[in-house]
Amino acid sequence: MSVDIIVIGGGHAGCEAAYAASRFKKKVLLVTHDVSTIGQMSCNPAIGGLGKSHLVREIDAMGGLMGVCADKAGIHFKVLNASKGPAVRATRSQSDRILYSKAVKSLIDSKDLLTSVSDEVVDIEVSNGKATGVKLKNGEIISAKKIILTAGTFLNGRLFTGEEDELQEEETNPFPIDSNKYTNPTIQDQLRTLYTTMEQFYLISHRIKNP
């Protein structure tokens, strides 16, 4: 199987990336552990808010999903700091988590060139220093011109409870990083072999912002 773009992760960023790419007439594959949880919100189902509402507006201006789905699933809308000046005001909506996820999935499914699958990416195919595809847990290799990794905090994620600090366990982390516990090498391990340090990976991935 061959596509133009593979998006790894079905959270907010992954859905926006996959939807935007499909609008440019690109054949897109969205890989997530469970397609039924696409667009799933956190325990605080808020869209916008202080320091964030302008980002939602920018996404909306570019034809993204978040603003549209927030309107469909909104149960409470408020202008924060309404009594203060315009510079510190922000809009925020509280959404029904189930309705929001359904709205996102509905828009994702409406794109003919966008396919979502429930699977796990266990390896990124690399040739001559360039990503050329991914290997799924079921053994299938899918080639692509571009790969977008939107794993969020799950890459090298850590849990802090008071003074305790521990790595995320398998059941809470779809990208486990303890290579001794799992047969397949993880994306985290692979990135460490491609780049000397994750700091180097961060700098390279942000080269456009920091030339």
Side-chain angles (χ1 to χ4, degrees):
M1 182 178 178
S2 177
V3 297
D4 293 314
I5 299 173
I6 295 174
V7 179
I8 304 173
H12 291 301
C15 291
E16 296 288 358
Y19 188 75
S22 67
R23 292 175 63 229
F24 282 93
K25 307 302 181 183
K26 301 297 182 181
K27 189 176 180 181
V28 184
L29 178 67
L30 174 62
V31 184
T32 182
H33 276 250
D34 186 354
V35 294
S36 67
T37 62
I38 282 179
Q40 188 176 61
M41 303 185 79
S42 67
C43 56
N44 177 26
I47 298 294
L50 296 174
K52 300 180 287 294
S53 60
H54 65 290
L55 297 176
V56 179
R57 288 180 178 272
E58 290 174 4
I59 292 172
D60 194 48
M62 293 185 287
L65 298 169
M66 187 171 287
V68 175
C69 295
D71 285 342
K72 291 182 177 181
I75 54 179
H76 182 264
F77 299 87
K78 184 176 182 179
V79 176
L80 304 177
N81 290 336
S83 63
K84 302 182 182 299
V88 294
R89 293 175 189 166
T91 53
R92 182 192 67 199
S93 70
Q94 296 287 342
S95 300
D96 183 295
R97 298 174 72 244
I98 297 176
L99 291 180
Y100 185 88
S101 182
K102 286 183 177 180
V104 173
K105 194 172 187 309
S106 175
L107 288 176
I108 291 291
D109 292 341
S110 70
K111 293 297 181 181
D112 295 334
L113 293 175
L114 173 52
T115 304
S116 56
V117 297
S118 297
D119 214 315
E120 177 184 351
V121 173
V122 296
D123 190 31
I124 297 177
E125 301 291 311
V126 178
S127 177
N128 296 323
K130 181 179 179 180
T132 58
V134 300
K135 181 179 181 180
L136 301 181
K137 193 173 184 178
N138 63 14
E140 183 180 3
I141 296 178
I142 303 173
S143 59
K145 298 176 182 177
K146 301 290 182 181
I147 298 174
I148 301 175
L149 179 60
T150 62
T153 61
F154 288 119
L155 288 180
N156 204 21
R158 307 190 72 86
L159 298 176
F160 294 89
T161 307
E163 297 182 354
E164 297 182 5
D165 175 12
E166 60 182 341
L167 296 175
Q168 287 180 311
E169 297 297 333
E170 181 184 15
E171 57 268 19
T172 59
N173 184 359
F175 300 96
I177 69 172
D178 186 351
S179 58
N180 295 322
K181 286 179 59 179
Y182 304 95
T183 303
N184 294 319
T186 64
I187 296 177
Q188 175 75 14
D189 293 332
Q190 188 177 20
L191 291 177
R192 289 193 181 281
T193 62
L194 292 174
Y195 302 97
T196 305
T197 65
M198 289 308 293
E199 288 76 16
Q200 181 186 8
F201 168 71
Y202 177 84
L203 291 175
I204 292 175
S205 64
H206 287 71
R207 186 177 297 165
I208 295 178
K209 293 183 180 179
N210 301 283

